[in-house]
């Protein structure tokens, strides 16, 4: 089964504050070159929107083909 729920960062909005990297308890994000990366999308919890809610720039949406 292909993972169908994971965060997508809009880098045109992202301020690289790293709040999402520190926040996600499942290690979905990592930082590279001082930017957040979605490194482990398969670890994201279905229908969790925690990181999207705490992102101060509203730069995170979630990929889903069913919603
Ligand atoms: S919380 Fe939002 S603004 Fe901050 S690094 Fe993550 S995506 Fe970028
Ligand atoms: S939606 Fe939840 S589990 Fe997925 S990356 Fe964001 S905080 Fe982590």
């Amino acid at each position: 089964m292909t993972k169908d729920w994971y965060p997508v960062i809009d880098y045109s909005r992202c301020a690289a504050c790293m709040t999402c990297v520190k926040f996600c308890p499942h290690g979905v994000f990592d930082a590279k070159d001082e930017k957040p990366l979605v490194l482990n999308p398969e670890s994201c919890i279905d229908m969790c929107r925690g990181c999207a809610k705490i992102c101060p720039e509203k730069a995170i949406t979630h990929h889903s083909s069913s919603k």
Side-chain angles (χ1 to χ4, degrees):
M1 191 176 83
T2 311
K3 184 68 180 163
D4 190 38
W5 182 261
Y6 51 87
V8 179
I9 300 170
D10 177 353
Y11 287 103
S12 70
R13 301 184 77 126
C14 175
C17 68
M18 300 299 164
T19 302
C20 55
V21 179
K22 290 180 198 142
F23 174 82
C24 177
H26 302 284
V28 172
F29 297 99
D30 204 351
K32 187 165 186 284
D33 298 333
E34 298 178 7
K35 280 186 179 173
L37 276 183
V38 180
L39 198 70
N40 299 303
E42 69 282 358
S43 297
C44 185
I45 304 302
D46 284 352
M47 307 315 287
C48 174
R49 296 177 194 269
C51 54
K53 284 185 187 153
I54 54 99
C55 172
E57 307 298 332
K58 302 205 178 344
I60 300 176
T61 53
H62 283 77
H63 171 84
S64 174
S65 57
S66 56
K67 289 258 165 188

